[in-house]
Amino acid sequence: MALTNSQYDAIMREYEDRQSTNRHLLEKRRAYIFEHVKGYRELSDSIASLSVAQGKKLLSGDENAMEDLKASISRLVSEKELLLTKAGYPFDYLEAVYTCPDCKDTGYIDGRKCHCFKQAVIHLLYEQSGISDMLEKENFSVLSYNYHQGEDLERFQKTVSECKKFIETFDSGYHNLFFYGTVGTGKSFLSGCIARELIESGHSVIYFSAAGLFEILSKNIFDYKNKDGTVGSYENLNDCDLLIIDDLGTEYTKNIAPSVLFSLLNERHLNKRSTIISTNLSLEDVRNRYSDRVFSRITSHYNICKFTGPDIRMLQKRLQNRK
């Protein structure tokens, strides 16, 4: 995924904060050592004075000045390290402090992004997804088939395979998913599983409940006073690699026409940006509620997965109560 300018700037500000924090830490350490370790400040001053004196000799033509300087500084550095260790500190206590020694808190090594930069991207994507806490609990590592039986189980297994294929082919093809079915059958769970896998591979994922989504859409259209505050969120709806709309049908739609939803879905389709929609509505209810255009967009360009079976959340609560 290519980071937006604002995302890149946010990460680079983190590196600036690291550099500033570590610089202050080093300054604080140095001030403490100068005050409490006898002789250390004098040795540091000696190195500075020696460097100036030997520099003058080098400029005046003394060919041995550089070698003499190296030898003298090496001796003084060893004495400084000895003072530190005798005082109970590591010999490198006053060397530059880095959160990531590999890139020295720049984010780059030889012009290439450091591993810590890549991790910072993933951390940012988790934060911006809106579901970082949920994804700690809902992911493929806790997937279970124990709550489904018979035809429900076969349908669920097929859907899980569809989800894994969606992830595997995410970068090589354009796909959308539409999850519908009864309450508590795993629609939101599988959406979360996909979200986590894609975020971990560096893709931007934005999650919205239908209520939250329609609130953003409403403000962007009608609330001119607060419109500036919603521009970034609205742009993310169109630009993120994956948009998840959860619980379609639970939103308050009095002020939002189905054409607004169609516009969003159509924009993402034209830009080949993937979308996952989950709902407890039947397909017929979706058509009646959101217009033929929305229904046609979904049935034409989404892989439709039906969920059936018991309410897993209720089963889990019952099992929990029995313990």
Side-chain angles (χ1 to χ4, degrees):
M1 171 218 172
L3 292 173
T4 64
N5 289 335
S6 61
Q7 288 173 326
Y8 180 83
D9 290 343
I11 291 174
M12 294 313 296
R13 281 195 296 273
E14 287 185 17
Y15 280 102
E16 291 172 4
D17 290 343
R18 289 184 192 180
Q19 294 168 11
S20 177
T21 298
N22 289 333
R23 187 166 54 249
H24 289 319
L25 174 61
L26 182 59
E27 291 170 356
K28 186 176 180 180
R29 287 181 178 181
R30 185 179 289 115
Y32 185 88
I33 293 299
F34 278 7
E35 182 178 351
H36 293 89
V37 178
K38 186 176 181 181
Y40 194 92
R41 181 192 292 273
E42 289 73 17
L43 286 174
S44 296
D45 292 341
S46 296
I47 291 177
S49 301
L50 183 62
S51 297
V52 173
Q54 294 300 99
K56 290 179 179 179
K57 289 183 180 180
L58 187 63
L59 290 173
S60 65
D62 186 342
E63 296 180 355
N64 297 321
M66 183 58 69
E67 291 301 319
D68 292 343
L69 175 62
K70 289 180 180 178
S72 298
I73 288 180
S74 178
R75 175 178 54 79
L76 291 172
V77 168
S78 296
E79 291 181 23
K80 288 172 67 178
E81 290 176 351
L82 184 60
L83 284 178
L84 284 175
T85 54
K86 282 185 176 180
Y89 298 94
F91 72 92
D92 59 352
Y93 188 64
L94 294 186
E95 290 184 7
V97 178
Y98 300 113
T99 304
C100 178
D102 295 333
C103 68
K104 295 181 171 55
D105 293 339
T106 64
Y108 289 84
I109 301 175
D110 297 329
R112 302 182 68 179
K113 291 184 179 70
C114 180
H115 59 84
C116 69
F117 188 99
K118 296 174 183 176
Q119 194 59 43
V121 170
I122 292 173
H123 178 72
L124 176 67
L125 295 178
Y126 265 117
E127 284 188 339
Q128 294 187 345
S129 72
I131 48 173
S132 56
D133 292 338
M134 184 186 89
L135 298 187
E136 290 183 10
K137 303 174 182 177
E138 299 190 357
N139 52 75
F140 280 123
S141 68
V142 295
L143 174 69
S144 173
Y145 295 109
N146 295 333
Y147 302 106
H148 296 82
Q149 294 180 353
E151 187 178 339
D152 297 334
L153 176 59
E154 291 179 12
R155 186 175 283 122
F156 188 68
Q157 289 173 326
K158 183 179 179 181
T159 301
V160 171
S161 297
E162 188 71 37
C163 292
K164 291 183 176 180
K165 181 181 177 183
F166 180 88
I167 296 166
E168 291 167 2
T169 60
F170 193 81
D171 291 321
S172 60
Y174 163 64
H175 309 285
N176 302 293
L177 293 173
F178 184 82
F179 296 158
Y180 80 102
T182 51
V183 175
T185 46
K187 298 183 295 295
S188 298
F189 173 81
L190 286 182
S191 296
C193 290
I194 293 172
R196 178 173 175 133
E197 294 295 318
L198 291 180
I199 290 174
E200 288 290 335
S201 59
H203 297 87
S204 60
V205 178
I206 301 296
Y207 166 93
F208 269 105
S209 66
L213 171 69
F214 277 74
E215 182 180 353
I216 290 293
L217 295 176
S218 177
K219 286 183 177 179
N220 189 70
I221 295 173
F222 300 113
D223 193 349
Y224 294 102
K225 292 182 180 179
N226 297 319
K227 192 168 185 176
D228 289 344
T230 65
V231 168
S233 297
Y234 186 76
E235 289 177 349
N236 286 339
L237 293 178
N238 289 321
D239 296 338
C240 62
D241 295 328
L242 174 64
L243 172 65
I244 297 176
I245 305 173
D246 196 27
D247 275 342
L248 187 69
T250 60
E251 71 283 352
Y252 181 66
T253 58
K254 183 177 180 180
N255 295 324
I256 295 290
S259 59
V260 178
L261 176 62
F262 175 81
S263 178
L264 172 63
L265 299 184
N266 191 54
E267 182 74 17
R268 290 190 60 80
H269 171 64
L270 293 176
N271 293 326
K272 303 301 179 187
R273 298 290 189 182
S274 294
T275 305
I276 296 176
I277 300 174
S278 71
T279 182
N280 296 329
L281 299 175
S282 67
L283 292 179
E284 183 179 355
D285 288 338
V286 171
R287 166 178 266 166
N288 293 335
R289 185 175 180 126
Y290 298 102
S291 79
D292 287 337
R293 285 205 306 167
V294 171
F295 184 76
S296 176
R297 176 64 69 212
I298 291 172
T299 54
S300 299
H301 300 288
Y302 286 66
N303 293 333
I304 297 178
C305 303
K306 185 176 182 180
F307 287 69
T308 57
D311 186 332
I312 295 173
R313 287 187 288 266
M314 292 300 295
L315 286 177
Q316 289 173 334
K317 286 181 180 179
R318 289 173 190 167
L319 292 173
Q320 206 74 28
N321 292 333
R322 291 175 185 175
K323 294 180 180 179

